[in-house]
Amino acid sequence: MRITWLGHSGFRIEIEGAVLLVDPWLTGNPMFPEGRAAEATRGATHVLVTHGHGDHASNAVAIAKRAGIKIACIHELSEVLGAEGAGTIGFGKGGTIDLAGARVTMVNACHSASIDFKDGLGHAGSEAGFMIAGEGHTIYVTGDTTVMADMEWMGEYFAPDIGILCAGGHYTMDMKMAAWAARKYFAFRTVIPCHYRTFPLLAQSAEELRAGLPGVTVIEPEVLEPITV
């Protein structure tokens, strides 16, 4: 299994027979190098979108249409993106779908979810995270969230060993909160922070996350450098 950061909250996850592009914001992303989109999206089988904000969803339709693949996301957002000509798989929280052998369950998040990259604000369902299971691992992709009580049952029920945690602060939980949640609710072996370093108002280092998780491998990712698990 390989996990590759695409900057901000975007990831390429190669698991089972799937190549999943999670929140692939490439155009306009200060962290993503110009001219490398083809490399990031090569061989992709599906796009996963956690919510409708532009730094997560604004490139999803173009990427999916170019690659001839489907976008999996919450039902209401799938209707909006589908109206733009993309193939979609709409599902809901608690629902599980099989994507080329990877089992993806939508779980709760606590944020907001309007479509904010078009004229005016549009309704797009609600924010979500994903549990992605395959190859003997379960990855928890938080999406944008703060700490929430739902993490208790999610940690016990899904037992994820890899956490991809938003931790930049300001719009989401920060490094200290993410570390606290990881200690209290989960038993991660590996944690990868995201939604940080993109803009000056976000955290620029994950050192506080690492300090708060002794015994856990905290990997500060580099864009387009695969992490093999």
Side-chain angles (χ1 to χ4, degrees):
M1 181 172 63
R2 299 208 305 177
I3 300 172
T4 305
W5 194 35
L6 305 180
H8 199 54
S9 291
F11 285 88
R12 174 189 171 99
I13 300 176
E14 300 169 51
I15 180 171
E16 298 290 352
V19 179
L20 308 176
L21 302 179
V22 182
D23 290 347
W25 176 44
L26 308 182
T27 304
N29 180 349
M31 295 292 295
F32 190 81
E34 188 175 350
R36 298 185 69 181
E39 175 185 347
T41 60
R42 185 177 297 117
T45 61
H46 303 86
V47 176
L48 287 174
V49 177
T50 61
H51 64 290
H53 289 165
D55 56 334
H56 298 258
S58 60
N59 290 159
V61 168
I63 289 171
K65 289 171 71 173
R66 189 180 307 118
I69 60 179
K70 291 184 177 181
I71 303 167
C73 57
I74 203 162
H75 170 73
E76 292 82 359
L77 182 58
S78 77
E79 293 286 297
V80 173
L81 301 181
E84 296 184 22
T88 61
I89 303 170
F91 65 129
K93 295 177 184 179
T96 300
I97 56 176
D98 187 304
L99 301 181
R103 290 183 60 79
V104 179
T105 303
M106 185 181 294
V107 295
N108 201 26
C110 184
H111 186 58
S112 61
S114 62
I115 294 180
D116 60 0
F117 56 92
K118 298 183 178 183
D119 293 335
L121 294 176
H123 176 65
S126 66
E127 62 278 21
F130 298 113
M131 294 285 179
I132 303 172
E135 299 187 26
H137 296 279
T138 299
I139 307 166
Y140 174 31
V141 177
T142 63
D144 284 6
T145 194
T146 185
V147 180
M148 55 183 177
D150 280 344
M151 289 176 173
E152 181 174 12
W153 78 261
M154 288 158 51
E156 182 175 350
Y157 185 85
F158 293 101
D161 58 308
I162 301 169
I164 296 179
L165 311 182
C166 64
H170 194 83
Y171 296 107
T172 72
M173 57 187 177
D174 60 18
M175 295 292 171
K176 184 176 180 180
M177 294 173 73
W180 184 89
R183 290 196 311 270
K184 183 171 180 63
Y185 297 126
F186 301 97
F188 295 125
R189 296 179 184 176
T190 304
V191 164
I192 302 168
C194 67
H195 210 283
Y196 82 122
R197 290 172 51 190
T198 320
F199 309 109
L201 55 74
L202 302 181
Q204 300 298 303
S205 166
E207 186 54 41
E208 192 171 17
L209 179 67
R210 180 178 288 108
L213 291 175
V216 177
T217 300
V218 176
I219 301 173
E220 290 210 51
E222 295 298 333
V223 174
L224 290 175
E225 292 188 10
I227 299 164
T228 301
V229 178

